[in-house]
Amino acid sequence: MLQLTPQSRIFLATAAVDFRKGIDGLAAVCRQVLGDNPLEGAVYVFRNRAGTALKLLLYDGQGYWLCLKRLSQGRFTWWPTTADARVPLSARELMILLWNGDPAQAKMAQDWRRVA
């Protein structure tokens, strides 16, 4: 079973990806474009050109997970427009994104703060 914890490392690829790519093609994008090794256990999030679907790639130690979410109507409203090839996300930001929300607009407390 796939679980996202606050300690999960999640990276969002800012450039659109050809969704005909499978596990091997997306792992190659991780290595060549993002400069990461997909075998290190991070979750990688990719978007198609139309903005109607997301793919998540994760290696859990035994094998790869490839998850797809395609909206039945409309497009994902939020996507970062930074020059960086990848953007880190927290687990709760990813959950907001998967429900087609805007993590930047969500007014949430910080993940961790020192208790005085």
Side-chain angles (χ1 to χ4, degrees):
M1 186 159 127
L2 181 63
Q3 283 189 318
L4 294 174
T5 65
Q7 295 79 24
S8 297
R9 294 178 319 122
I10 303 167
F11 299 107
L12 186 138
T14 56
V17 173
D18 181 359
F19 264 33
R20 293 177 290 182
K21 292 179 189 270
I23 291 172
D24 295 327
L26 293 175
V29 170
C30 289
R31 288 186 193 96
Q32 297 167 0
V33 178
L34 305 180
D36 285 348
N37 182 359
L39 297 173
E40 291 178 353
V43 179
Y44 296 94
V45 182
F46 302 94
R47 186 183 75 155
N48 67 345
R49 293 191 196 287
T52 58
L54 298 178
K55 277 190 178 181
L56 280 68
L57 180 69
L58 165 69
Y59 184 77
D60 69 0
Q62 286 186 312
Y64 281 100
W65 286 84
L66 182 62
C67 305
L68 169 72
K69 175 153 188 180
R70 186 180 68 197
L71 297 176
S72 56
Q73 54 183 295
R75 300 173 190 271
F76 285 97
T77 56
W78 178 84
W79 201 256
T81 56
T82 179
D84 297 335
R86 67 180 182 133
V87 173
L89 289 179
S90 68
R92 64 183 175 177
E93 289 173 328
L94 176 58
M95 295 308 295
I96 292 168
L97 175 62
L98 290 173
W99 282 95
N100 199 12
D102 182 349
Q105 296 284 331
K107 304 218 186 309
M108 300 179 291
Q110 295 293 324
D111 281 335
W112 182 91
R113 65 181 182 267
R114 186 177 302 276
V115 178

